[in-house]
Amino acid sequence: LAIAVAALAALVVGAISLRTRGVYFIMITLAFAQMMFYLVNSMKAYGGDEGLTLPRRPELGFGLDLGNEVVFYYVVLCLLLASLYGLHRVVNSRFGRVIVAIRENAPRVEGLGLPVYRYQLSCFVIGGAVAGLAGALLASHGKYVNPNVLHWVQSGTLMIMVILGGVGRLWGGF
């Protein structure tokens, strides 16, 4: 459910944000993040700025007890490997080649007749879904949902990780 909600939110934010370029794109996505931060901070029903403690980890089924730390570790490891494999497959597909071409020269790709905006929006939604999975796992790990993970400092930290790891590289953030 968290993945679907994150993907839907990414669809809405991406539909608006992708109409801008450069520093304006960065600023509008940070503005959306700050709006979500203040919205979540104001929700007293869910703990407000103090966050929300979860009574237990969610049920996964398949006879796996996620309350056991070792089982949880291996489930997260399997999800990481599956996500990296899936993203690797996307990057090395025809879709991925178009995305690389858009990164290198978007006007030329648009001149070829490909819908650049739709490809970019698809990538934005995929990124939102992966971020939703990561957020759900983070909340499950600590059994605590903290609104500070929506603060702009967290976004900046993640951007630094990607920049240091290599922009445009699948393994950069990892």
Side-chain angles (χ1 to χ4, degrees), residues 34-116:
Q34 282 302 108
M35 285 189 288
M36 288 304 300
F37 172 73
Y38 286 113
L39 176 72
V40 170
N41 258 346
S42 66
M43 298 173 110
K44 297 299 178 200
Y46 295 109
D49 59 351
E50 293 180 14
L52 180 66
T53 303
L54 303 175
R56 57 183 164 70
R57 290 191 176 133
E59 297 290 323
L60 187 63
F62 309 112
L64 297 173
D65 177 23
L66 293 182
N68 183 343
E69 295 293 328
V70 175
V71 172
F72 184 73
Y73 170 79
Y74 283 110
V75 167
V76 171
L77 181 63
C78 288
L79 287 171
L80 170 67
L81 294 175
S83 298
L84 286 174
Y85 177 72
L87 291 172
H88 174 74
R89 293 290 305 235
V90 167
V91 167
N92 292 316
S93 67
R94 264 191 249 159
F95 176 84
R97 296 293 170 211
V98 171
I99 293 304
V100 169
I102 289 171
R103 182 186 70 200
E104 298 299 325
N105 194 341
R108 182 174 288 174
V109 174
E110 197 161 10
L112 290 172
L114 294 170
V116 170

Coordinates of all heavy atoms in Angstrom, one line a residue, residues 34-116:
Q34 N 8.6 20.1 1.2 CA 8.3 20.9 2.4 C 6.9 21.0 2.7 O 6.5 21.0 3.9 CB 8.9 22.3 2.2 CG 10.4 22.4 2.5 CD 10.8 21.9 3.8 OE1 11.4 20.8 4.0 NE2 10.5 22.6 4.9
M35 N 6.0 21.1 1.7 CA 4.6 21.1 1.9 C 4.1 19.8 2.6 O 3.3 19.8 3.5 CB 3.8 21.3 0.6 CG 3.9 22.7 0.1 SD 2.7 23.0 -1.3 CE 3.6 22.1 -2.6
M36 N 4.7 18.6 2.1 CA 4.3 17.4 2.7 C 4.9 17.3 4.2 O 4.2 16.8 5.1 CB 4.9 16.2 1.9 CG 4.2 16.0 0.6 SD 2.5 15.7 0.8 CE 2.4 14.2 1.8
F37 N 6.0 17.8 4.4 CA 6.6 17.9 5.8 C 5.7 18.6 6.7 O 5.3 18.1 7.8 CB 8.0 18.5 5.7 CG 8.6 18.8 7.1 CD1 9.1 17.7 7.8 CD2 8.7 20.0 7.6 CE1 9.6 17.9 9.1 CE2 9.2 20.3 8.8 CZ 9.7 19.2 9.6
Y38 N 5.2 19.8 6.3 CA 4.4 20.6 7.2 C 3.0 20.0 7.3 O 2.4 20.1 8.4 CB 4.3 22.1 6.7 CG 5.6 22.8 7.1 CD1 6.5 23.2 6.1 CD2 6.0 23.0 8.4 CE1 7.6 23.8 6.4 CE2 7.2 23.6 8.7 CZ 8.0 24.0 7.7 OH 9.2 24.6 8.0
L39 N 2.5 19.4 6.3 CA 1.2 18.7 6.3 C 1.3 17.5 7.3 O 0.4 17.4 8.2 CB 0.8 18.2 5.0 CG -0.5 17.3 4.9 CD1 -1.7 18.2 5.1 CD2 -0.6 16.6 3.6
V40 N 2.3 16.7 7.3 CA 2.4 15.6 8.2 C 2.7 16.0 9.6 O 2.2 15.5 10.5 CB 3.6 14.6 7.7 CG1 3.9 13.6 8.7 CG2 3.2 14.0 6.4
N41 N 3.5 17.1 9.8 CA 3.7 17.7 11.1 C 2.4 18.2 11.8 O 2.3 18.2 13.0 CB 4.7 18.8 11.0 CG 6.1 18.4 11.5 OD1 6.3 17.3 12.0 ND2 7.1 19.2 11.2
S42 N 1.5 18.6 11.0 CA 0.3 19.2 11.5 C -0.8 18.1 11.8 O -1.8 18.4 12.4 CB -0.3 20.2 10.6 OG -0.8 19.6 9.4
M43 N -0.6 16.9 11.5 CA -1.6 15.8 11.7 C -1.4 15.2 13.1 O -0.7 14.3 13.3 CB -1.4 14.7 10.6 CG -1.6 15.2 9.2 SD -1.2 13.9 8.0 CE -2.8 13.5 7.4
K44 N -2.1 15.8 14.0 CA -2.0 15.4 15.4 C -2.6 13.9 15.6 O -2.2 13.2 16.5 CB -2.8 16.3 16.3 CG -2.2 17.7 16.3 CD -0.8 17.7 16.8 CE -0.2 19.2 16.7 NZ 1.2 19.2 16.7
A45 N -3.5 13.5 14.7 CA -4.0 12.2 14.9 C -3.0 11.1 14.6 O -3.1 10.0 15.1 CB -5.2 12.0 13.9
Y46 N -1.9 11.5 13.9 CA -0.8 10.5 13.6 C 0.4 10.9 14.4 O 1.5 10.5 13.9 CB -0.6 10.5 12.1 CG -1.7 9.9 11.4 CD1 -2.5 10.7 10.5 CD2 -2.1 8.5 11.5 CE1 -3.6 10.2 9.9 CE2 -3.2 8.0 10.8 CZ -3.9 8.8 10.0 OH -5.0 8.3 9.4
G47 N 0.3 11.6 15.4 CA 1.5 11.9 16.3 C 2.1 13.3 16.0 O 2.9 13.7 16.8
G48 N 1.7 14.0 15.0 CA 2.2 15.3 14.7 C 3.7 15.3 14.6 O 4.3 14.4 13.9
D49 N 4.4 16.3 15.2 CA 5.8 16.4 15.1 C 6.6 15.4 15.9 O 7.8 15.3 15.8 CB 6.3 17.8 15.4 CG 5.9 18.3 16.8 OD1 5.2 17.6 17.5 OD2 6.4 19.3 17.2
E50 N 5.9 14.7 16.8 CA 6.5 13.6 17.6 C 6.6 12.3 16.9 O 7.2 11.4 17.4 CB 5.8 13.5 19.0 CG 6.0 14.8 19.8 CD 5.3 14.7 21.1 OE1 4.9 13.5 21.5 OE2 5.1 15.7 21.8
G51 N 5.8 12.1 15.9 CA 5.8 10.9 15.1 C 4.8 9.9 15.7 O 4.1 10.2 16.6
L52 N 4.9 8.7 15.2 CA 3.9 7.7 15.5 C 4.7 6.4 15.7 O 5.4 5.9 14.9 CB 2.9 7.5 14.4 CG 1.8 6.4 14.5 CD1 0.9 6.8 15.7 CD2 1.0 6.3 13.2
T53 N 4.4 5.8 16.9 CA 5.0 4.5 17.2 C 4.1 3.4 16.7 O 2.9 3.4 17.0 CB 5.2 4.4 18.7 OG1 6.0 5.4 19.2 CG2 5.9 3.1 19.1
L54 N 4.7 2.4 16.0 CA 4.0 1.3 15.5 C 4.1 0.2 16.5 O 5.1 -0.1 17.1 CB 4.6 0.8 14.2 CG 4.7 1.9 13.1 CD1 5.4 1.3 11.9 CD2 3.3 2.3 12.7
P55 N 2.9 -0.5 16.8 CA 2.9 -1.6 17.8 C 3.8 -2.8 17.4 O 4.4 -3.4 18.3 CB 1.5 -1.9 18.0 CG 0.8 -1.5 16.8 CD 1.6 -0.3 16.2
R56 N 3.8 -3.1 16.1 CA 4.6 -4.2 15.7 C 4.8 -4.0 14.2 O 4.3 -3.2 13.6 CB 3.8 -5.5 15.9 CG 2.4 -5.6 15.3 CD 1.7 -6.9 15.6 NE 0.3 -6.8 15.3 CZ -0.3 -6.7 14.2 NH1 0.5 -6.7 13.1 NH2 -1.6 -6.6 14.0
R57 N 5.6 -4.9 13.6 CA 5.9 -4.8 12.2 C 4.7 -5.4 11.4 O 4.0 -6.3 11.9 CB 7.2 -5.6 11.9 CG 8.4 -5.0 12.4 CD 9.6 -5.6 11.9 NE 10.8 -4.8 12.3 CZ 11.9 -5.4 12.8 NH1 12.0 -6.7 12.9 NH2 12.9 -4.6 13.2
P58 N 4.5 -4.9 10.2 CA 3.4 -5.4 9.4 C 3.5 -6.9 9.1 O 4.7 -7.4 9.0 CB 3.3 -4.5 8.2 CG 4.6 -3.8 8.2 CD 5.2 -3.9 9.6
E59 N 2.4 -7.6 8.8 CA 2.4 -9.0 8.4 C 2.8 -9.1 7.0 O 2.3 -8.3 6.1 CB 1.0 -9.6 8.6 CG 0.6 -9.6 10.1 CD 1.4 -10.6 10.9 OE1 1.7 -11.6 10.4 OE2 1.6 -10.2 12.1
L60 N 3.7 -10.0 6.6 CA 4.1 -10.2 5.3 C 3.4 -11.5 4.7 O 3.2 -11.6 3.5 CB 5.6 -10.3 5.2 CG 6.2 -10.4 3.8 CD1 5.9 -9.2 3.0 CD2 7.7 -10.7 3.8
G61 N 3.1 -12.4 5.6 CA 2.5 -13.7 5.2 C 3.6 -14.7 4.9 O 4.8 -14.5 5.3
F62 N 3.3 -15.7 4.1 CA 4.3 -16.7 3.7 C 5.0 -17.4 4.9 O 6.0 -18.0 4.8 CB 5.4 -16.2 2.8 CG 4.8 -15.4 1.6 CD1 5.0 -14.0 1.5 CD2 4.1 -16.0 0.6 CE1 4.5 -13.3 0.5 CE2 3.6 -15.3 -0.4 CZ 3.8 -14.0 -0.5
G63 N 4.4 -17.3 6.1 CA 5.0 -17.9 7.3 C 6.2 -17.2 7.8 O 7.0 -17.8 8.6
L64 N 6.4 -16.0 7.4 CA 7.6 -15.2 7.8 C 7.3 -14.3 9.0 O 6.3 -13.5 8.9 CB 8.2 -14.4 6.7 CG 8.7 -15.1 5.5 CD1 9.1 -14.2 4.4 CD2 9.9 -16.0 5.9
D65 N 8.0 -14.4 10.1 CA 7.8 -13.6 11.3 C 8.7 -12.4 11.2 O 9.9 -12.5 11.5 CB 8.1 -14.4 12.5 CG 7.9 -13.5 13.8 OD1 7.2 -12.5 13.7 OD2 8.5 -13.9 14.8
L66 N 8.2 -11.2 10.7 CA 9.1 -10.0 10.6 C 9.5 -9.4 11.9 O 10.3 -8.6 12.0 CB 8.4 -9.0 9.8 CG 8.2 -9.3 8.3 CD1 7.5 -8.2 7.6 CD2 9.5 -9.7 7.6
G67 N 8.9 -9.9 13.0 CA 9.3 -9.5 14.4 C 10.7 -10.0 14.7 O 11.4 -9.5 15.5
N68 N 11.1 -11.1 14.1 CA 12.4 -11.7 14.3 C 13.4 -10.8 13.4 O 13.2 -10.7 12.2 CB 12.4 -13.1 13.8 CG 13.7 -13.8 14.0 OD1 14.7 -13.2 14.2 ND2 13.7 -15.1 13.9
E69 N 14.4 -10.3 14.1 CA 15.4 -9.4 13.4 C 16.1 -10.1 12.3 O 16.3 -9.5 11.2 CB 16.4 -8.9 14.4 CG 15.8 -8.0 15.5 CD 15.2 -6.7 15.0 OE1 15.8 -6.2 14.0 OE2 14.2 -6.2 15.6
V70 N 16.4 -11.4 12.4 CA 17.2 -12.0 11.4 C 16.3 -12.2 10.1 O 16.7 -12.0 9.0 CB 17.7 -13.4 11.9 CG1 18.4 -14.2 10.8 CG2 18.7 -13.2 13.0
V71 N 15.0 -12.6 10.3 CA 14.1 -12.8 9.2 C 13.9 -11.5 8.5 O 13.9 -11.4 7.3 CB 12.8 -13.4 9.7 CG1 11.7 -13.4 8.6 CG2 13.0 -14.8 10.3
F72 N 13.7 -10.4 9.3 CA 13.5 -9.1 8.8 C 14.7 -8.7 7.9 O 14.6 -8.1 6.8 CB 13.2 -8.1 9.9 CG 12.9 -6.7 9.3 CD1 11.7 -6.4 8.8 CD2 13.8 -5.7 9.4 CE1 11.4 -5.1 8.3 CE2 13.6 -4.4 9.0 CZ 12.3 -4.1 8.4
Y73 N 15.9 -8.9 8.4 CA 17.1 -8.6 7.7 C 17.1 -9.3 6.3 O 17.4 -8.6 5.3 CB 18.4 -9.0 8.5 CG 19.6 -8.9 7.7 CD1 20.3 -7.7 7.5 CD2 20.2 -10.0 7.1 CE1 21.4 -7.5 6.8 CE2 21.4 -9.9 6.4 CZ 22.0 -8.7 6.2 OH 23.1 -8.6 5.5
Y74 N 16.8 -10.6 6.3 CA 16.9 -11.3 5.0 C 15.8 -10.9 4.1 O 16.0 -10.9 2.9 CB 16.9 -12.8 5.3 CG 18.3 -13.2 5.7 CD1 18.5 -13.7 7.0 CD2 19.4 -13.2 4.8 CE1 19.8 -14.1 7.4 CE2 20.6 -13.6 5.2 CZ 20.9 -14.0 6.5 OH 22.1 -14.4 6.9
V75 N 14.6 -10.5 4.6 CA 13.5 -10.0 3.8 C 13.9 -8.7 3.1 O 13.8 -8.5 1.9 CB 12.2 -9.9 4.6 CG1 11.2 -9.1 3.8 CG2 11.7 -11.2 4.9
V76 N 14.5 -7.8 3.9 CA 15.0 -6.5 3.4 C 16.1 -6.7 2.4 O 16.1 -6.1 1.3 CB 15.4 -5.6 4.5 CG1 16.1 -4.3 4.0 CG2 14.2 -5.2 5.4
L77 N 17.0 -7.6 2.6 CA 18.1 -7.9 1.7 C 17.5 -8.5 0.4 O 18.0 -8.0 -0.7 CB 19.1 -8.9 2.3 CG 20.3 -9.3 1.4 CD1 21.2 -8.1 1.2 CD2 21.1 -10.4 2.1
C78 N 16.6 -9.4 0.5 CA 15.9 -9.9 -0.8 C 15.2 -8.8 -1.5 O 15.3 -8.7 -2.8 CB 15.0 -11.0 -0.4 SG 15.8 -12.5 0.1
L79 N 14.5 -7.9 -0.8 CA 13.9 -6.8 -1.5 C 14.9 -5.8 -2.1 O 14.6 -5.3 -3.2 CB 13.0 -6.0 -0.5 CG 11.7 -6.8 -0.1 CD1 11.0 -6.0 1.0 CD2 10.8 -6.9 -1.3
L80 N 16.0 -5.6 -1.5 CA 17.1 -4.8 -2.1 C 17.6 -5.4 -3.3 O 17.7 -4.7 -4.4 CB 18.2 -4.6 -1.1 CG 19.5 -3.9 -1.7 CD1 19.2 -2.5 -2.0 CD2 20.6 -4.0 -0.7
L81 N 17.9 -6.7 -3.3 CA 18.4 -7.3 -4.5 C 17.4 -7.4 -5.6 O 17.8 -7.2 -6.8 CB 18.9 -8.8 -4.1 CG 20.1 -8.8 -3.1 CD1 20.4 -10.3 -2.8 CD2 21.3 -8.2 -3.7
A82 N 16.1 -7.6 -5.3 CA 15.1 -7.6 -6.3 C 14.9 -6.3 -6.9 O 14.7 -6.1 -8.1 CB 13.8 -8.1 -5.7
S83 N 15.0 -5.2 -6.1 CA 14.8 -3.9 -6.6 C 16.0 -3.5 -7.5 O 15.8 -2.9 -8.6 CB 14.8 -2.9 -5.4 OG 13.6 -3.1 -4.6
L84 N 17.2 -3.8 -7.1 CA 18.4 -3.5 -7.9 C 18.4 -4.3 -9.2 O 18.7 -3.8 -10.3 CB 19.7 -3.8 -7.1 CG 20.0 -2.8 -6.0 CD1 21.2 -3.3 -5.2 CD2 20.3 -1.4 -6.6
Y85 N 17.9 -5.5 -9.1 CA 17.8 -6.4 -10.4 C 16.8 -5.8 -11.3 O 17.0 -5.6 -12.5 CB 17.5 -7.8 -10.0 CG 17.3 -8.7 -11.2 CD1 18.4 -9.0 -12.0 CD2 16.1 -9.1 -11.6 CE1 18.3 -9.8 -13.2 CE2 15.9 -9.9 -12.8 CZ 17.0 -10.2 -13.5 OH 16.9 -11.0 -14.7
G86 N 15.6 -5.4 -10.7 CA 14.6 -4.8 -11.5 C 15.0 -3.5 -12.2 O 14.7 -3.3 -13.4
L87 N 15.7 -2.7 -11.4 CA 16.1 -1.4 -12.0 C 17.2 -1.6 -13.0 O 17.3 -0.9 -14.0 CB 16.6 -0.5 -10.8 CG 15.5 0.0 -9.9 CD1 16.1 0.8 -8.7 CD2 14.6 0.9 -10.7
H88 N 18.1 -2.6 -12.8 CA 19.1 -3.0 -13.8 C 18.4 -3.4 -15.1 O 18.9 -3.0 -16.2 CB 20.0 -4.1 -13.2 CG 21.0 -4.6 -14.2 ND1 22.1 -3.9 -14.6 CD2 21.0 -5.8 -14.9 CE1 22.8 -4.7 -15.4 NE2 22.1 -5.8 -15.7
R89 N 17.4 -4.2 -15.0 CA 16.7 -4.6 -16.2 C 16.0 -3.5 -16.9 O 16.0 -3.4 -18.1 CB 15.6 -5.7 -15.8 CG 16.1 -7.0 -15.3 CD 16.7 -7.8 -16.4 NE 15.8 -7.9 -17.5 CZ 15.4 -9.0 -18.1 NH1 15.9 -10.2 -17.6 NH2 14.6 -9.1 -19.1
V90 N 15.5 -2.5 -16.1 CA 14.9 -1.3 -16.7 C 15.9 -0.5 -17.5 O 15.7 -0.1 -18.6 CB 14.1 -0.5 -15.7 CG1 13.8 0.9 -16.2 CG2 12.9 -1.2 -15.2
V91 N 17.1 -0.3 -16.8 CA 18.1 0.6 -17.4 C 18.7 -0.1 -18.7 O 19.0 0.6 -19.6 CB 19.3 0.8 -16.4 CG1 20.5 1.3 -17.0 CG2 18.8 1.7 -15.3
N92 N 18.7 -1.4 -18.7 CA 19.3 -2.1 -19.9 C 18.3 -2.5 -20.9 O 18.6 -3.2 -21.9 CB 20.1 -3.3 -19.5 CG 21.4 -2.8 -18.7 OD1 22.1 -1.9 -19.2 ND2 21.7 -3.5 -17.6
S93 N 17.1 -2.0 -20.8 CA 16.0 -2.3 -21.8 C 15.9 -1.1 -22.8 O 16.7 -0.2 -22.7 CB 14.7 -2.4 -21.1 OG 14.3 -1.1 -20.5
R94 N 15.0 -1.3 -23.8 CA 14.8 -0.2 -24.7 C 14.4 1.1 -24.0 O 14.8 2.2 -24.4 CB 13.8 -0.6 -25.7 CG 14.4 -1.2 -27.0 CD 13.3 -1.3 -28.0 NE 13.1 -2.7 -28.2 CZ 12.1 -3.3 -28.7 NH1 11.0 -2.5 -29.1 NH2 12.0 -4.6 -28.8
F95 N 13.5 0.9 -23.0 CA 13.1 2.1 -22.2 C 14.2 2.8 -21.6 O 14.3 4.0 -21.6 CB 12.1 1.5 -21.2 CG 11.6 2.6 -20.2 CD1 10.5 3.4 -20.5 CD2 12.2 2.8 -19.0 CE1 10.1 4.4 -19.7 CE2 11.8 3.7 -18.1 CZ 10.7 4.5 -18.4
G96 N 15.2 2.0 -21.0 CA 16.3 2.6 -20.4 C 17.2 3.3 -21.4 O 17.8 4.4 -21.1
R97 N 17.4 2.8 -22.6 CA 18.2 3.5 -23.6 C 17.6 4.8 -24.0 O 18.3 5.8 -24.2 CB 18.4 2.6 -24.8 CG 19.1 1.3 -24.5 CD 20.5 1.6 -24.2 NE 21.2 0.4 -23.7 CZ 22.1 0.4 -22.8 NH1 22.6 1.5 -22.3 NH2 22.7 -0.7 -22.4
V98 N 16.3 4.8 -24.0 CA 15.6 6.1 -24.3 C 15.8 7.1 -23.2 O 16.1 8.3 -23.5 CB 14.1 5.9 -24.6 CG1 13.3 7.2 -24.7 CG2 13.9 5.1 -25.8
I99 N 15.8 6.6 -22.0 CA 16.0 7.5 -20.8 C 17.4 8.1 -20.8 O 17.6 9.2 -20.6 CB 15.7 6.8 -19.5 CG1 14.2 6.4 -19.4 CG2 16.1 7.6 -18.3 CD1 13.3 7.6 -19.5
V100 N 18.4 7.2 -21.2 CA 19.8 7.7 -21.3 C 19.9 8.7 -22.4 O 20.6 9.8 -22.2 CB 20.7 6.5 -21.5 CG1 22.1 7.0 -21.9 CG2 20.8 5.6 -20.3
A101 N 19.2 8.5 -23.5 CA 19.3 9.5 -24.6 C 18.6 10.8 -24.2 O 19.1 11.9 -24.5 CB 18.5 8.9 -25.8
I102 N 17.5 10.7 -23.4 CA 16.9 11.9 -22.9 C 17.8 12.7 -22.0 O 17.9 13.9 -22.0 CB 15.5 11.6 -22.2 CG1 14.5 11.1 -23.3 CG2 15.0 12.8 -21.5 CD1 13.2 10.6 -22.7
R103 N 18.5 12.0 -21.1 CA 19.5 12.6 -20.2 C 20.5 13.4 -21.0 O 21.0 14.5 -20.7 CB 20.1 11.6 -19.3 CG 21.0 12.2 -18.3 CD 21.8 11.2 -17.5 NE 22.7 10.5 -18.4 CZ 23.2 9.3 -18.1 NH1 22.9 8.7 -17.0 NH2 24.0 8.7 -18.9
E104 N 21.0 12.7 -22.1 CA 22.1 13.3 -22.9 C 21.6 14.5 -23.7 O 22.3 15.5 -23.8 CB 22.8 12.2 -23.7 CG 23.4 11.1 -23.0 CD 24.5 11.6 -22.0 OE1 25.2 12.5 -22.4 OE2 24.6 11.0 -20.9
N105 N 20.5 14.3 -24.4 CA 20.0 15.4 -25.3 C 18.5 15.2 -25.5 O 18.0 14.6 -26.5 CB 20.8 15.3 -26.6 CG 20.6 16.5 -27.5 OD1 19.7 17.3 -27.3 ND2 21.5 16.7 -28.4
A106 N 17.7 15.8 -24.6 CA 16.3 15.7 -24.7 C 15.7 16.3 -26.0 O 14.7 15.7 -26.5 CB 15.6 16.4 -23.4
P107 N 16.1 17.5 -26.4 CA 15.5 18.0 -27.7 C 15.7 17.1 -28.9 O 14.8 17.0 -29.7 CB 16.3 19.4 -27.9 CG 16.7 19.8 -26.5 CD 17.0 18.5 -25.8
R108 N 16.8 16.5 -28.9 CA 17.1 15.6 -30.1 C 16.1 14.4 -30.0 O 15.6 13.9 -31.0 CB 18.5 15.1 -30.1 CG 18.8 14.2 -31.2 CD 20.3 13.8 -31.3 NE 21.0 15.0 -31.8 CZ 22.3 15.1 -31.8 NH1 23.0 14.0 -31.5 NH2 22.9 16.1 -32.2
V109 N 15.9 13.8 -28.8 CA 15.0 12.7 -28.6 C 13.6 13.1 -29.0 O 12.8 12.4 -29.6 CB 15.1 12.1 -27.2 CG1 14.0 11.0 -27.0 CG2 16.5 11.6 -26.9
E110 N 13.2 14.3 -28.6 CA 11.9 14.8 -28.9 C 11.8 15.0 -30.4 O 10.7 14.8 -31.0 CB 11.6 16.2 -28.2 CG 10.2 16.5 -28.1 CD 9.9 17.5 -27.0 OE1 10.8 18.1 -26.4 OE2 8.7 17.8 -26.8
G111 N 12.9 15.5 -31.0 CA 12.9 15.6 -32.5 C 12.7 14.3 -33.2 O 12.2 14.2 -34.3
L112 N 13.1 13.2 -32.6 CA 12.9 11.9 -33.1 C 11.5 11.4 -33.0 O 11.1 10.4 -33.6 CB 13.8 10.9 -32.4 CG 15.3 11.0 -32.7 CD1 16.1 10.1 -31.8 CD2 15.6 10.7 -34.2
G113 N 10.7 12.1 -32.3 CA 9.3 11.8 -32.2 C 8.9 11.0 -30.9 O 7.8 10.5 -30.8
L114 N 9.8 10.9 -30.0 CA 9.5 10.2 -28.8 C 8.9 11.1 -27.7 O 9.3 12.2 -27.6 CB 10.7 9.5 -28.2 CG 11.3 8.4 -29.1 CD1 12.7 7.9 -28.7 CD2 10.3 7.2 -29.2
P115 N 7.9 10.6 -27.0 CA 7.3 11.5 -25.9 C 8.2 11.6 -24.7 O 8.1 10.8 -23.7 CB 6.0 10.7 -25.6 CG 6.3 9.3 -25.9 CD 7.3 9.3 -27.1
V116 N 9.0 12.6 -24.7 CA 10.0 12.8 -23.6 C 9.3 12.9 -22.3 O 9.7 12.3 -21.3 CB 10.9 14.0 -23.9 CG1 11.8 14.4 -22.7 CG2 11.8 13.7 -25.2

